[in-house]
Structures are given as C-alpha cells and as structure tokens.
Amino acid sequence: MVIFFQHHSAAVQQFRRVAPSLSKHWPCLTCRNSLAKTPIATAITTTPQSPFPSIAISIRCFTNNTSSLLSPASASNNDPSPDEILSSFANLDHRRASRTGFPEAVFGQGKTPSQIHSILDSMANNVNELMEAAASENDKEVFVSTTSKAIIATRVDRDVYDAVVSIGPLQHGVMEYHDTARIISVRANALENNTDTTTTGNQDEKNISQQSVVVACAGTTDLPVAEEAALTLSLSGIPVTRIYDCGVAGLHRIISALPKLRHPNVGCVIVCAGMDGALPSVVGGLVDVPVVAVPTSVGYGMSLGGMSALLTMLNSCSPGVGVVNVDNGFGGAVWAMKCLNSRQK
C-alpha cells in the first residue's frame, strides 16, 4: 500500500514523530535541504505486517520540480539510481507492442524535460535488452518486432526538446527531433550497427510491412497533425504515402491523387482536415479500404477548435469512415496499424 500526503498534513507530522531522525537528517536529493525545512510530498510504503514506514520513501522537492527515492538501507547514499528516479513518476509498459501490436508512446505535453529524458532512456534500454536477448544463441524464442523498436514522444515543443537535450545525451540511445510533427524519436544503441531485419515477433510482419498507409491532409495548416500520424507509422516500420494540400476547395487535387489512394498495397487511408472537415467523406466514397478521419482544430471563429470538423466527420454520408479525437494524429496512426494487423489474421 502506498500512501501519498502533503507536507502540511497531519500524516506527515505523525510520521515525523514516529521517525524523527529521518525527518531531521534525510535531505532532499536535489537541493540538500532537510525534510523538516523543505516543502515536500512524501510517499510511505508499508506492509500488512507493519504499519510503520519501513520500505521506501519518495521525496519530491517542489522548489526543484524533481523526484527521487530513498530507502533506510541507502540513506547514506545521496545518488539515486536512474531506475529509482523513474519509478517515482512512471510505470512503463515495455510489453505493449507484443500485447496490442503497437508500442507505448510518451505523451510529452505536461511532462517535465527531466521526466521525458528518463522515460526515453528507459525505453531505449529496454530495446537494447530485447535485441541482446534475441541475438543470444541460447534464447531462440525471443523475437523483436519492428514496432517494439519504435521509441516515440509526441507533443513535444521545440523549447521542451532543447531543455531535454540540455540535460545530456541519452545513455542507451540517440534522440532526433521532428519539428513539424513535434515528435522526439529515439534509436536505441543496439540498432546503430544492426542492419538485420529478420528478428520479428510475427511471421506475418513482412506481409504487413508490404502494406502501406496513405496520409492525406486538406490544407498546409493541417500538416502538424498529418505528420504526427505519418511519422508515427513510418517509425513503426509502416510505409507511408503522403498526399498534402488536397482539400475540397479544389476537388481536382484529390481526384488527381486517385492512383495513390487506390494502389493495391494501400491498406488504410488517414485523412486530416479542419474547417468543415469534408475531405474524409469524399475520400471514403472513392476507396475500398478503411478511412480514418482526423479532425483538426484549424478554422475560423465558429469552427470551435475543431468541433465543426469533428461533427461533420461523425455525420459522414460515406460508410466506412471512422473518427478519432481532434488533432489526434497519433491515435489515427494506431487505428490504421490495427487495420493492417487485422487484415493478416
């Protein structure tokens, strides 16, 4: 059981009466202030056998906006391990790709640069460990799919990325920033000198990789959402064909793109549009594969931040058009990939 409470609560005071030496002498690991003088949030872990805090204490100094872990056995060591720091704010799902067919991604918006840095480094380390296990002659049952190697952080603005970089390079991978999509991608160190693509978690993955997804957007201002979808797919090993600036204000543009839309390798089409959001309905009436509609928040006054496009897409007259949330390019990419996976079953 983990109990969280604030510095000013009665529980903290009671804890300090029970363990006065801890409250006086254990410093915050970042600012070195004692617990008695620092505004903190404390997490006490107890066991059914003992109600007293004896396992671990998570200390957060709000003045530095960082987190760390202490245990009584390591109170003399003021340098927590990366895993201890990470576990104080994240519980990563490293097996999501094998379970759902798509990797866990980091939603960067709202996270601190240090949190993003720690999470990405842990994800890169996980890929390294998977690749090492797959290469082991004694572990022939371990496979690494292309999607399992994808490490992605979405909704990361340039200034946040710069702050992440300023912390220092990742220990287990190399970061790259994609401006338009606002995505950080990471290539694990184990992949730098690895060109063998035979380690896959599914024998059908080669067939899936031959299928592609078309990502279309109505206008240039829809590009950030479209690129979020396109880049998410390409980083996961899915071929992507881009058709940009083909909105309904000039229908000849989407008509001229029909050869790409109807190519036999295309397994799904993602259409991003703001304003009136009419383009997915048009595309839905021209192709025989699933269409994923992604409304964007682009538009004048009464577009209501993408609400008008969302309602248009939900009321599409073209059967077979599915809709995700406003500006959710990542969600559209996940849907498209699940469509490809389902075609192989």
Side-chain angles (χ1 to χ4, degrees):
M1 178 177 65
V2 180
I3 308 171
F4 293 93
F5 47 82
Q6 295 297 322
H7 169 66
H8 302 291
S9 69
V12 171
Q13 304 307 320
Q14 181 179 3
F15 164 62
R16 285 174 171 159
R17 286 194 294 271
V18 173
S21 61
L22 299 185
S23 64
K24 288 182 180 179
H25 302 298
W26 278 17
C28 170
L29 298 188
T30 53
C31 71
R32 303 296 190 244
N33 291 330
S34 71
L35 303 190
K37 297 179 181 180
T38 304
I40 60 171
T42 306
I44 298 181
T45 304
T46 64
T47 65
Q49 292 77 21
S50 172
F52 297 101
S54 58
I55 306 299
I57 299 174
S58 174
I59 303 168
R60 180 176 182 182
C61 177
F62 289 114
T63 58
N64 288 286
N65 196 30
T66 55
S67 302
S68 53
L69 273 179
L70 277 176
S71 68
S74 62
S76 60
N77 183 1
N78 288 341
D79 296 319
S81 70
D83 288 340
E84 289 175 327
I85 296 175
L86 179 66
S87 65
S88 67
F89 57 80
N91 183 14
L92 301 185
D93 185 6
H94 289 313
R95 298 297 178 265
R96 184 173 299 180
S98 61
R99 189 178 67 251
T100 67
F102 209 84
E104 180 177 22
V106 182
F107 184 70
Q109 185 176 323
K111 290 183 175 64
T112 66
S114 61
Q115 289 172 342
I116 295 173
H117 189 280
S118 295
I119 292 171
L120 291 177
D121 209 20
S122 177
M123 296 172 77
N125 183 52
N126 176 66
V127 173
N128 291 336
E129 291 177 349
L130 290 176
M131 294 294 293
E132 182 179 353
S136 173
E137 294 181 358
N138 299 324
D139 200 349
K140 297 183 183 298
E141 298 301 319
V142 177
F143 301 95
V144 185
S145 65
T146 303
T147 55
S148 296
K149 303 172 189 176
I151 304 172
I152 303 169
T154 66
R155 300 304 172 91
V156 181
D157 291 330
R158 166 60 76 169
D159 58 339
V160 176
Y161 171 71
D162 291 340
V164 173
V165 171
S166 69
I167 296 173
L170 299 182
Q171 181 180 354
H172 301 104
V174 178
M175 292 184 291
E176 181 180 357
Y177 187 67
H178 309 267
D179 277 285
T180 303
R182 293 189 298 161
I183 282 178
I184 299 176
S185 64
V186 177
R187 183 172 176 83
N189 291 336
L191 302 177
E192 286 300 314
N193 298 319
N194 187 295
T195 58
D196 183 5
T197 59
T198 61
T199 55
T200 63
N202 188 331
Q203 191 64 31
D204 289 330
E205 185 168 328
K206 291 182 180 180
N207 294 331
I208 294 175
S209 65
Q210 292 175 359
Q211 288 193 306
S212 65
V213 175
V214 171
V215 178
C217 73
T220 305
T221 48
D222 301 312
L223 275 177
V225 178
E227 274 299 296
E228 182 179 88
L231 193 60
T232 297
L233 288 167
S234 61
L235 290 171
S236 301
I238 304 299
V240 175
T241 299
R242 292 166 170 82
I243 304 174
Y244 289 167
D245 197 18
C246 57
V248 297
L251 278 176
H252 61 283
R253 297 178 295 186
I254 196 65
I255 298 300
S256 65
L258 280 178
K260 294 180 180 179
L261 291 168
R262 293 175 173 173
H263 192 281
N265 286 348
V266 173
C268 186
V269 179
I270 298 175
V271 184
C272 306
M275 297 288 190
D276 56 2
L279 185 60
S281 293
V282 174
V283 174
L286 296 172
V287 299
D288 62 355
V289 296
V291 174
V292 181
V294 184
T296 71
S297 54
V298 173
Y300 297 105
M302 288 307 293
S303 65
L304 302 176
M307 184 66 71
S308 62
L310 173 63
L311 293 176
T312 297
M313 295 174 186
L314 288 173
N315 288 280
S316 174
C317 190
S318 296
V321 174
V323 188
V324 298
N325 207 347
V326 177
D327 291 338
N328 190 7
F330 174 80
V334 172
W335 189 340
M337 187 168 183
K338 285 182 175 285
C339 288
L340 300 191
N341 289 340
S342 65
R343 290 166 69 96
Q344 300 301 320
K345 294 180 179 180

